[in-house]
């Protein structure tokens, strides 16, 4: 598969292996379970699968705590199973990327087991140690609900070690050239298996420097550029998708290139998640106001032509509210986390459909925005059928429950007794697998699944949505989110009513006088444009993707 800019107009699908499909009846999803589901993903229109961490791990952070970078977790299968999955994916034209956890290991990793033995252990310097817990003072804590400090005291060796996440995830010391080299070996090991790249976890935190926030440091960018240069040389089609939960101006350097000239190629990440726009979509939908979305997108700098944003509505974590103001965080909790159990750290641990009150109009609209904003969209497994969540489960497990394939006992996820499933199926009156499942939605013409499939197909047919510029329209109606995607002679107008009232608006379309706007998603023509004002009425939560005939 060659086309080194394939990711510009790609659809990504985030998949939790443990919850997707179980091939051996032990109640846990695995790699071989995914293979018979590849045709389903292909049918949905997915281009690239992102697998959550699958490596050796004590699972204190669901696999983001790695104890063996060169092996597959025994619950998930073997390296041979993985190679087969890659082969079968590629045979269907699907790409596949895995998580790459650079910042930290598990405390059960042999390096850390050695490192904590004594101050003079040869692996001591693989991690960040200090005699006191005052170093790097003021650096924010990410897991605020559980971690009182970024330092944890180690009784055995009498020093503190640094960790940005759980205490069971000590940060690696990238000032040690051996660490930096070893992680390049990890990268090459998996790329040699033919994978199409990585979703690089927690990248802002690789280096620490006194007097800074220890985030986004120049040294971190230098290391990431080194990774990219190696990939460019040996694996030119493979991508790096960066996870940096930052403001747009802090994200921009992760693409590198020339900030003033998008024609200069970037040489760091191919893609980066656009974190800040996500909560603003939810806020906009709740308040019926477009301004926050418009403002953050207008504050988003241009990126090199060979780079792309990655946009998402939900993922395997809490809906993060790190990139909003304190007032907005409180407001979002008020609006979307009425039960305190829904809150986690600085976010909300709920799935898309319950967040949007199972209102089909809002779910469609949110996706219509997701699939038309600048960036490659990611679908979080289960959201294509409107799966629910379970806030009674530990940590973020409530948004990671088993995939609902059928309405039969076990939901087609596993043949094990459901009481043995790693997490219970969603089984309530609204979101239970008996009502919400792939099999029934595949057969129902108006199902959410079929709508998503259609939206994906239309999106992929529109080069302008992957490559085009985006100009937000200034309308005198704050409930309407309207943007113009354009690339050379290709134009697409996205018009969304974020409110629960119908709205009549006037669009500035005079340059298209004599032409007929065509609603691409609903395959309907609207009244032709004339030289006078173009008036359009939208029902509550109605949206159009308009092109011209
Ligand atoms: C971000 C991942 O998305 C999250 O699930 C994980 O807990 C942290 N990074 C730490 O690796």
């Amino acid at each position: 598969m060659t086309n080194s800019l394939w990711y510009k107009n790609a659809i990504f699908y985030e998949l939790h292996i443990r919850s997707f499909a179980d091939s051996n009846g032990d109640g846990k999803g695995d790699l071989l379970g995914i293979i018979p589901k590849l045709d389903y993903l292909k049918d949905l229109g997915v281009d690239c699968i992102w697998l959550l961490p699958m490596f050796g791990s004590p699972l204190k952070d669901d696999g983001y705590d790695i104890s063996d970078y060169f092996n597959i977790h025994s619950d998930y299968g073997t390296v041979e199973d993985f190679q087969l999955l890659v082969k079968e994916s590629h045979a269907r034209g699907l790409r596949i990327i895995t998580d790459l956890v650079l910042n930290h290991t598990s405390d059960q990793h042999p390096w850390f087991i050695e490192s904590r033995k004594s101050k003079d252990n040869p692996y001591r310097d693989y991690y960040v140690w200090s005699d006191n817990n005052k170093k790097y003072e003021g650096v924010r804590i990410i897991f605020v609900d559980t971690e009182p400090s970024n330092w944890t005291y180690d009784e055995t060796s009498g020093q503190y070690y640094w960790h940005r996440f759980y205490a069971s995830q000590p940060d690696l010391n990238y000032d040690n050239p051996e660490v930096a080299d070893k992680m390049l070996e990890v990268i090459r090991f998996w790329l040699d298996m033919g994978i199409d790249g990585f979703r690089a976890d927690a990248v802002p935190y690789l280096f620490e420097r006194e007097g800074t926030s220890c985030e986004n440091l120049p040294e971190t960018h230098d290391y990431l550029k080194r990774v990219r240069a190696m990939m460019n040389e040996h694996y030119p089609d493979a991508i790096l998708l960066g996870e940096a939960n930052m403001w747009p101006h802090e994200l921009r350097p992760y693409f590198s290139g020339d900030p003033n000239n998008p024609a200069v190629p970037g040489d760091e990440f191919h893609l980066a998640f656009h974190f800040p726009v996500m909560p603003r979509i939810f806020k906009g939908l709740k308040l019926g106001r477009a301004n926050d979305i418009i403002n953050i997108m207008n504050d988003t700098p241009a990126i090199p032509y060979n780079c792309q944003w990655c946009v998402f509505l939900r993922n395997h974590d809490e809906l993060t509210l790190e990139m909003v103001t304190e007032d907005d965080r409180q407001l979002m909790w008020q609006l979307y986390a009425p039960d305190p159990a829904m809150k986690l750290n600085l976010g909300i641990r709920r799935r898309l459909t319950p967040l949007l009150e199972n209102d089909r109009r809002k779910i469609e609209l949110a996706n219509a925005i997701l699939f038309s904003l600048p960036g490659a969209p990611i679908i979080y497994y289960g959201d294509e059928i409107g799966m629910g969540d379970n806030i009674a489960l530990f940590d973020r497990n409530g948004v990671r429950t088993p995939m609902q394939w059928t309405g039969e006992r076990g939901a087609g996820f596993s043949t094990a007794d459901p009481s043995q499933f790693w997490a219970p199926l969603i089984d309530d009156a609204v979101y239970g697998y008996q009502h919400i499942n792939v099999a029934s939605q595949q057969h129902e013409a108006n199902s959410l699944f079929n709508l998503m499939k259609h939206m994906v197909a239309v999106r992929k047919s529109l080069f302008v949505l992957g490559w085009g510029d985006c100009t937000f329209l200034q309308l005198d109606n704050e409930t309407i989110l309207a943007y113009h995607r354009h690339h050379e002679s290709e134009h697409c107008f996205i018009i969304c009513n974020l409110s629960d009232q119908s709205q009549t608006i006037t669009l500035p379309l005079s340059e298209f006088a004599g032409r007929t706007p065509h609603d691409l998603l609903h395959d309907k023509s609207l009244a032709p444009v004339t030289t006078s004002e173009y008036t359009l009425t939208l029902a509550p939560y109605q949206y159009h993707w308009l092109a011209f005939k």
Side-chain angles (χ1 to χ4, degrees):
M1 291 201 269
T2 52
N3 165 14
S4 54
L5 295 179
W6 61 268
Y7 48 89
K8 287 286 283 192
N9 203 12
I11 308 291
F12 286 78
Y13 188 90
E14 177 188 356
L15 181 165
H16 188 24
I17 306 167
R18 186 170 297 274
S19 286
F20 204 58
D22 172 18
S23 74
N24 62 358
D26 66 356
K28 297 168 194 152
D30 47 45
L31 294 169
L32 292 182
I34 300 170
I35 295 175
K37 306 297 184 192
L38 292 173
D39 291 332
Y40 165 78
L41 297 177
K42 188 74 191 163
D43 181 46
L44 178 57
V46 170
D47 296 296
C48 183
I49 302 166
W50 154 30
L51 297 178
L52 291 186
M54 59 189 182
F55 314 99
S57 165
L59 303 178
K60 292 280 162 40
D61 184 7
D62 216 352
Y64 282 97
D65 49 326
I66 298 176
S67 53
D68 182 352
Y69 281 88
F70 297 100
N71 266 307
I72 300 286
H73 193 285
S74 56
D75 287 347
Y76 294 158
T78 62
V79 169
E80 289 69 38
D81 295 346
F82 180 69
Q83 285 170 322
L84 187 62
L85 174 63
V86 173
K87 188 168 155 236
E88 292 290 333
S89 302
H90 286 173
R92 289 162 176 82
L94 288 164
R95 289 187 159 87
I96 189 156
I97 64 173
T98 71
D99 242 290
L100 170 69
V101 185
L102 294 171
N103 180 64
H104 45 268
T105 68
S106 158
D107 60 0
Q108 301 306 307
H109 193 288
W111 296 339
F112 192 70
I113 292 175
E114 281 300 313
S115 185
R116 77 188 323 178
K117 279 186 179 161
S118 67
K119 288 183 191 153
D120 53 10
N121 187 283
Y123 287 91
R124 187 65 168 180
D125 205 27
Y126 269 49
Y127 295 87
V128 182
W129 293 95
S130 164
D131 285 333
N132 61 59
N133 57 2
K134 298 284 172 259
K135 229 175 149 184
Y136 312 136
E137 213 163 22
V139 170
R140 74 185 170 119
I141 294 166
I142 297 169
F143 286 172
V144 282
D145 286 358
T146 42
E147 299 303 316
S149 166
N150 288 319
W151 291 108
T152 289
Y153 188 65
D154 177 50
E155 295 283 347
T156 325
S157 61
Q159 277 189 316
Y160 294 85
Y161 64 89
W162 180 250
H163 54 89
R164 292 308 301 273
F165 296 94
Y166 286 127
S168 53
Q169 292 164 297
D171 273 36
L172 284 164
N173 174 19
Y174 277 84
D175 278 318
N176 178 347
E178 260 182 61
V179 168
D181 290 350
K182 285 264 160 65
M183 295 314 284
L184 281 173
E185 267 174 42
V186 169
I187 294 169
R188 296 198 65 155
F189 179 81
W190 293 103
L191 287 172
D192 281 340
M193 254 165 247
I195 61 167
D196 301 285
F198 297 102
R199 176 266 192 192
D201 183 68
V203 286
Y205 320 116
L206 300 188
F207 283 81
E208 298 76 32
R209 290 291 177 265
E210 200 56 76
T212 73
S213 65
C214 294
E215 300 187 355
N216 313 319
L217 297 180
E219 294 82 349
T220 293
H221 286 291
D222 289 345
Y223 181 70
L224 294 170
K225 283 202 192 79
R226 184 174 159 206
V227 172
R228 172 67 182 269
M230 183 277 286
M231 285 174 59
N232 278 356
E233 189 179 347
H234 300 285
Y235 314 91
D237 284 348
I239 57 159
L240 274 177
L241 157 58
E243 190 228 10
N245 190 352
M246 297 285 154
W247 293 101
H249 70 274
E250 293 166 325
L251 282 164
R252 175 61 186 79
Y254 284 96
F255 295 113
S256 192
D258 179 347
N260 299 313
N261 184 2
V264 174
D267 59 2
E268 203 168 316
F269 283 128
H270 301 77
L271 303 108
F273 292 110
H274 197 306
F275 275 95
V277 72
M278 179 275 296
R280 288 165 177 78
I281 297 174
F282 287 94
K283 183 182 169 197
L285 278 170
K286 199 68 153 191
L287 301 183
R289 281 210 314 257
N291 57 329
D292 287 296
I293 303 172
I294 298 174
N295 292 344
I296 201 76
M297 292 311 293
N298 282 339
D299 274 353
T300 298
I303 59 176
Y305 77 93
N306 65 338
C307 295
Q308 183 61 297
W309 294 108
C310 228
V311 284
F312 61 100
L313 293 169
R314 289 297 294 113
N315 62 21
H316 64 291
D317 288 327
E318 67 275 27
L319 186 167
T320 168
L321 300 174
E322 276 158 282
M323 292 304 119
V324 301
T325 62
E326 180 55 33
D327 283 353
D328 272 357
R329 193 171 301 136
Q330 296 302 332
L331 177 67
M332 286 289 287
W333 274 329
Q334 208 181 312
L335 298 174
Y336 282 110
D339 180 335
M342 292 169 173
K343 288 180 167 181
L344 181 73
N345 298 317
L346 295 188
I348 303 171
R349 48 191 205 121
R350 299 181 73 191
R351 261 197 186 259
L352 179 65
T353 303
L355 281 164
L356 299 182
E357 293 143 335
N358 202 12
D359 184 333
R360 174 68 183 258
R361 299 168 307 172
K362 291 192 198 173
I363 298 165
E364 281 195 25
L365 176 54
N367 280 297
I369 297 170
L370 176 76
F371 286 106
S372 59
L373 279 177
I378 297 206
I379 302 168
Y380 181 50
Y381 89 93
D383 282 349
E384 73 275 25
I385 54 168
M387 266 172 60
D389 52 36
N390 179 355
I391 53 168
L393 300 183
F394 173 69
D395 199 347
R396 290 149 288 176
N397 288 352
V399 300
R400 303 176 183 178
T401 61
M403 180 71 176
Q404 299 172 191
W405 295 103
T406 71
E408 287 151 23
R409 186 178 142 85
F413 162 68
S414 167
T415 55
D417 185 307
S419 67
Q420 302 304 308
F421 286 12
W422 84 271
L425 287 163
I426 301 286
D427 195 10
D428 60 41
V430 180
Y431 299 107
Y433 63 93
Q434 302 89 337
H435 331 284
I436 305 292
N437 62 67
V438 169
S440 62
Q441 294 199 19
Q442 277 176 324
H443 293 113
E444 194 194 311
N446 291 322
S447 66
L448 181 60
F449 172 81
N450 278 319
L451 177 270
M452 293 285 286
K453 182 174 157 178
H454 177 64
M455 229 184 237
V456 165
V458 176
R459 148 78 200 218
K460 284 169 66 171
S461 70
L462 296 170
F463 182 84
V464 67
L465 293 187
W467 286 83
D469 291 333
C470 184
T471 310
F472 286 83
L473 307 188
Q474 291 302 329
L475 304 177
D476 54 8
N477 182 329
E478 63 172 13
T479 70
I480 303 294
L481 173 67
Y483 42 106
H484 178 194
R485 301 298 313 270
H486 44 103
H487 182 83
E488 295 168 2
S489 62
E490 235 190 296
H491 299 272
C492 187
F493 283 84
I494 316 292
I495 317 290
C496 305
N497 178 2
L498 302 184
S499 78
D500 60 358
Q501 304 291 315
S502 70
Q503 305 287 341
T504 298
I505 53 164
T506 307
L507 291 174
L509 295 182
S510 51
E511 71 171 291
F512 300 96
R515 295 174 68 185
T516 301
H518 189 74
D519 180 328
L520 296 163
L521 288 167
H522 304 100
D523 196 17
K524 270 193 198 127
S525 289
L526 275 55
V529 182
T530 62
T531 43
S532 46
E533 288 187 333
Y534 193 82
T535 305
L536 193 63
T537 298
L538 290 108
Y541 304 115
Q542 196 183 358
Y543 55 89
H544 292 294
W545 291 3
L546 300 176
F548 292 92
K549 283 197 168 162

